[in-house]
Amino acid sequence: MTTQTMNEINGDLEALWPSAVTLRAAGVAVVLGLPQDALPFVIHWGGDIGAQDADSLRELALHAQPPLATNGVDVPVIVGVVPENAAGWTGTPGLQGHRSGQAWSTRFVPVSVDISDDAPSGGSVSVRAVDVDAQLSLGLLLELLPSGLLRLSATLRNDGVDSYTIDALDLALPVPTRADVVFDMAGRWAKERVAQSRPFTVGTHLREGRHGRTGADAATFLAAGTADLDFGQGEVWGLHVAFSGNHRVLAERAFSGERLILGGELLLPGEIQLAPGETYETPALFAGYGAGLDAVAARFHAHLRSRPSHPRSARPVVMNVWEAVYFDHELPRLLELADAAERVGVERFVLDDGWFGSRRDDTSGLGDWVIAEDVWGGGRFRALVEGVKRRGMQFGLWFEPEMVNVTSDLATAHPEWLLQVPGRLPVDFRHQQVLDLSHPGAFAHVFDQIVSLVREHGIDYIKWDHNRDLIEAGSTRTGRAGVHEQTLATYRLLDAIRRACPGLEIESCSSGGARVDLGILEHTDRVWASDCIDARERQQIQRWTAQLLPPELVGSHVGADRAHTTRRRVDLDFRAATALFGHFGIEWDLTTVSPDDLQRLTAWVAYYKGVRGLIHSGTTVRRELEGGDLWLHGSVSPHRDRALYAVILRERHVTWPLGRVRLPGLDPDREYRVRVGGPGPLPAYDPRIHPSWYRSGINLSGAVLQEIGVHVPALDPDTSVLLDVEVVR
């Protein structure tokens, strides 16, 4: 074994690493080392370090390597954005693949680098690298967006004369050793996005999504953080895979000290086989750094709101009739519901499942997107649409375009259009099979049926559902696994329908919240966060959906007094206050509601219309108080001149009364007036329940409200109070 002196090592480094670049935006800096004979690596991803001159960057790059690990390889191991075993890295490699068993380990060398340094609004680095021996080309793109999010993607091209199989292509980001905690989410149907954390121990924390859709149990946002991580404190480095099919994320700590977070598409065996000249492009990874979880959430929200496709109009009050009528469709009954919807102020009326083909329950008709003659024939469907629009509401309609019942006319006529392995259909899932949208005939059939209905009836809105996992999802055309192609075909279909029907809005629903990701939101206008609209459960679901999405993209409805999914009863005011912090709607048989509750619901609808501009443009803040028994969330306007907070009692606390509640996000140098929010009238003042300021409000500075806070009314479990805060000077 030969031993190099540090001078020799530094000499090699000077030859190999002559440059580095800093990207800066919104208080974030990314310093990228650019070796001449290896892939780029991240020297720093975190807080802004200010402008650095070329000499400082060169010095930083030259000495970015760690000391040699004891009993390790004889050169410093630098882990690139696509980690390679050839560099001495023995953790998870970025690219896993082979050419019939050959070319299984790569060593990419850059051949071009394109840098756009556009501080303070971000910048990008694009690198093209080749491995001549493996006959592969790799393109890397790293973009620091104006929001401070880092977006990464890679493209692999087969330059050889025979096929190359990709098993995985993951992108990696290092995090510092002070990141001692791993944070992500779990869940199940009707209880999506449950936060969880664990120590960042040596080894790999792996989260795989193999549902063929994002999944109710998806990690959603995988992060590493400091031990004091919370909504408003600590440091956090996290990522999200913007893809609606199979995916995976990893947090990995090596024996040699490196800590990485990685992510990418999860590829099934043989799913991506590149013919000569073909390319594979990874889904985008979005990575966020911030001081506290709220800071990273704000970056995601700012990015989504900056998109040209982001909804700009006021988010209309929705009524969905599913929990009111289920499959029991009758014109008089639905027009009666439309009357009630109009009276309370609904702006969009949505007819759910059961209007088409032989669909009278969930065992039949799925895939036959034609008006059911026995229920809606004779002009009755047109009468419903026109009746809804005469009442001043938009009309929405439910579809599940990616699925079929085996008993449907479509499946009977085209069994070759169903995803399957040779010789057998996958197990039924809600009596459904999956329609292969990558098949040109199936794609055209669904497109034609949906577009013709939208155009003929002037449909304004589609609730696009997706109610089963993709199990054994193989293509009858290729015999290979088909989740990747199905996901991309779904994106293409959504885009084609939107181009053909300008102004149409589409909601992504998937057994509730099983397809909530930034991939599907490039092609839709909102998501349905969960089939559970029990307000207590929804507090948790919406709280953590907000880590990724701003409230205007998250459907949130007022349900019946007894929740259909949990059988729990909670008061109307709590249900409405919960739905307020989203895209507000109603899913309740209003023909059975008492006059008093109808009047109260009408007041809440009017209140939502008055504050939706604030909620749908403001900065989301969250806090956990009194050991988690008390929750706070709210929205602070961009100019910090207005805020609306909800304080919720989750459990009875061990001591009483509760302490003061501090209100985050305000300008410490301005004076604010705090009042009880929500539709009036306020209950009569009772000194045993209400703080002294309850009747007339209180004026305090932002500094006092953030550091000392205010007492709030006494609350029972599963009740809340709104605090409306407005600047006075």
Side-chain angles (χ1 to χ4, degrees):
M1 181 182 72
T2 61
T3 303
Q4 291 179 289
T5 67
M6 185 56 66
N7 286 337
E8 290 172 331
I9 292 174
N10 283 341
D12 291 343
L13 290 175
E14 188 164 356
L16 299 181
W17 299 339
S19 63
V21 62
T22 302
L23 306 178
R24 300 168 59 215
V28 173
V30 176
V31 182
L32 199 65
L34 300 171
Q36 287 187 351
D37 76 337
L39 292 176
F41 65 98
V42 175
I43 299 172
H44 169 76
W45 166 42
D48 195 358
I49 58 171
Q52 301 293 314
D53 60 31
D55 289 340
S56 295
L57 285 176
R58 181 180 177 83
E59 191 75 7
L60 184 60
L62 286 174
H63 298 282
Q65 85 284 359
L68 298 182
T70 304
N71 199 29
V73 295
D74 294 335
V75 295
V77 176
I78 301 297
V79 184
V81 175
V82 177
E84 293 184 287
N85 189 236
W89 173 244
T90 56
T92 300
L95 173 62
Q96 300 178 58
H98 61 94
R99 197 183 298 278
S100 299
Q102 304 299 309
W104 54 272
S105 181
T106 59
R107 189 176 185 275
F108 284 104
V109 176
V111 294
S112 67
V113 178
D114 184 17
I115 299 171
S116 171
D117 183 3
D118 190 22
S121 59
S124 66
V125 176
S126 176
V127 176
R128 180 173 171 266
V130 298
D131 184 328
V132 175
D133 295 329
Q135 297 180 299
L136 297 171
S137 296
L138 178 69
L140 292 173
L141 179 61
L142 295 88
E143 304 168 274
L144 188 62
L145 304 174
S147 63
L149 286 184
L150 179 64
R151 180 167 58 196
L152 307 89
S153 61
T155 303
L156 187 73
R157 188 181 72 200
N158 179 10
D159 295 331
V161 297
D162 54 357
S163 173
Y164 182 83
T165 299
I166 302 178
D167 295 321
L169 180 48
D170 297 322
L171 302 176
L173 289 167
V175 298
T177 55
R178 63 184 181 274
D180 286 326
V181 175
V182 175
F183 168 92
D184 60 9
M185 301 180 204
R188 59 180 176 86
W189 175 76
K191 197 173 181 66
E192 296 87 346
R193 283 169 294 287
V194 178
Q196 58 182 17
S197 62
R198 64 191 292 270
F200 200 158
T201 54
V202 172
T204 300
H205 175 67
L206 171 64
R207 295 293 307 280
E208 293 187 335
R210 294 180 175 269
H211 299 284
R213 52 178 173 169
T214 318
D217 62 343
T220 305
F221 176 72
L222 172 74
T226 53
D228 60 343
L229 179 62
D230 205 336
F231 293 117
Q233 67 180 27
E235 289 182 280
V236 59
W237 299 260
L239 63 78
H240 168 77
V241 180
F243 193 62
S244 309
N246 292 336
H247 60 283
R248 69 181 200 153
V249 288
L250 308 84
E252 188 161 80
R253 180 177 175 185
F255 79 96
S256 46
E258 296 93 346
R259 303 184 192 201
L260 303 177
I261 53 176
L262 307 86
E265 183 178 3
L266 189 156
L267 297 172
L268 297 176
E271 192 166 21
I272 301 296
Q273 295 182 24
L274 297 182
E278 286 187 341
T279 62
Y280 165 75
E281 184 175 358
T282 68
L285 259 66
F286 287 86
Y289 164 80
L293 289 165
D294 278 355
V296 176
R299 298 193 190 282
F300 279 100
H301 298 183
H303 165 68
L304 288 164
R305 287 170 172 167
S306 72
R307 302 170 303 154
S309 62
H310 191 75
R312 302 296 173 195
S313 61
R315 297 294 78 211
V317 177
V318 176
M319 170 178 272
N320 185 292
V321 302
W322 176 243
E323 289 195 359
V325 301
Y326 290 100
F327 288 105
D328 187 13
H329 288 196
E330 294 180 351
L331 178 60
R333 176 92 173 82
L334 286 160
L335 287 177
E336 186 182 8
L337 277 170
D339 285 335
E342 179 188 15
R343 286 194 296 271
V344 301
V346 168
E347 297 162 304
R348 176 180 286 163
F349 185 95
V350 182
L351 181 65
D352 212 284
D353 194 358
W355 56 268
F356 52 91
S358 60
R359 186 76 163 179
R360 303 301 162 264
D361 56 32
D362 65 355
T363 66
S364 176
L366 195 61
D368 300 330
W369 305 113
V370 293
I371 303 297
E373 283 297 317
D374 58 333
V375 176
W376 289 111
R380 283 171 288 184
F381 187 79
R382 183 173 298 279
L384 175 64
V385 177
E386 292 176 352
V388 166
K389 296 200 171 190
R390 274 198 312 272
R391 290 163 174 81
M393 295 178 284
Q394 298 176 354
F395 184 81
L397 194 60
W398 181 94
F399 289 87
E400 193 170 359
E402 298 154 80
M403 305 298 164
V404 295
N405 294 124
V406 175
T407 56
S408 65
D409 294 341
L410 176 63
T412 301
H414 292 285
E416 76 280 8
W417 287 359
L418 306 189
L419 287 172
Q420 56 193 278
V421 297
R424 68 172 182 270
L425 285 175
V427 295
D428 271 358
F429 193 119
R430 290 191 60 173
H431 312 291
Q432 296 176 198
Q433 295 293 337
V434 184
L435 186 67
D436 182 2
L437 292 179
S438 72
H439 193 295
F443 185 102
H445 173 82
V446 175
F447 173 84
D448 290 343
Q449 287 199 314
I450 292 177
V451 169
S452 64
L453 282 165
V454 170
R455 289 175 172 173
E456 179 181 357
H457 296 286
I459 294 166
D460 304 292
Y461 178 83
I462 287 176
K463 178 180 178 180
W464 184 296
D465 216 336
H466 179 282
N467 277 311
R468 71 155 288 164
D469 289 350
L470 275 61
I471 298 167
E472 290 195 317
S475 166
T476 58
R477 293 177 296 109
T478 66
R480 297 206 302 238
V483 171
H484 172 82
E485 289 299 331
Q486 177 76 0
T487 306
L488 298 185
T490 299
Y491 291 163
R492 291 195 301 272
L493 179 58
L494 285 160
D495 290 345
I497 290 171
R498 286 158 67 96
R499 284 193 301 269
C501 305
L504 178 71
E505 289 196 8
I506 300 178
E507 171 188 66
S508 172
C509 176
S510 185
S511 304
R515 189 153 65 179
V516 173
D517 61 80
L518 298 196
I520 200 66
L521 273 167
E522 285 301 302
H523 312 277
T524 58
D525 300 286
R526 81 168 200 172
V527 299
W528 184 228
S530 179
D531 281 341
C532 180
I533 50 177
D534 174 339
R536 178 180 173 85
E537 299 291 338
R538 269 295 182 128
Q539 285 286 337
Q540 169 258 309
I541 292 165
Q542 292 172 197
R543 187 175 187 80
W544 290 109
T545 301
Q547 190 59 44
L548 191 66
L549 305 184
E552 64 269 26
L553 296 180
V554 182
S556 182
H557 293 181
V558 179
D561 60 340
R562 183 183 288 277
H564 288 208
T565 51
T566 65
R567 312 306 296 166
R568 182 185 283 120
R569 288 186 185 274
V570 293
D571 291 343
L572 172 57
D573 282 348
F574 183 55
R575 298 181 342 252
T578 299
L580 189 69
F581 287 88
H583 182 176
F584 187 94
I586 300 164
E587 196 149 341
W588 187 10
D589 184 356
L590 297 186
T591 66
T592 65
V593 176
S594 71
D596 287 347
D597 276 354
L598 274 177
Q599 183 179 14
R600 190 65 177 161
L601 180 61
T602 303
W604 273 106
V605 168
Y607 184 75
Y608 163 76
K609 292 177 181 178
V611 298
R612 60 185 165 189
L614 165 63
I615 294 171
H616 296 166
S617 66
T619 300
T620 295
V621 294
R622 298 162 294 177
R623 293 294 186 270
E624 191 170 280
L625 312 171
E626 303 289 0
D629 291 342
L630 197 70
W631 281 4
L632 175 144
H633 63 256
S635 186
V636 181
S637 70
H639 298 294
R640 296 195 290 177
D641 55 354
R642 179 87 188 275
L644 185 66
Y645 302 93
V647 180
I648 303 101
L649 187 68
R650 298 277 292 174
E651 303 288 348
R652 300 181 70 197
H653 195 55
V654 65
T655 61
W656 195 262
L658 299 172
R660 291 186 181 92
V661 171
R662 298 190 292 177
L663 306 181
L666 302 175
D667 185 337
D669 298 323
R670 301 170 86 177
E671 185 177 344
Y672 295 89
R673 185 150 188 83
V674 182
R675 296 184 177 90
V676 174
L682 295 178
Y685 174 71
D686 182 339
R688 297 169 299 179
I689 297 173
H690 301 118
S692 58
W693 64 266
Y694 173 80
R695 289 171 291 187
S696 56
I698 185 173
N699 283 24
L700 293 169
S701 71
V704 169
L705 290 171
Q706 291 190 115
E707 295 301 322
I708 299 176
V710 296
H711 288 296
V712 299
L715 298 170
D716 293 323
D718 296 336
T719 62
S720 63
V721 62
L722 297 178
L723 303 181
D724 193 322
V725 180
E726 190 165 9
V727 72
V728 292
R729 61 186 175 95

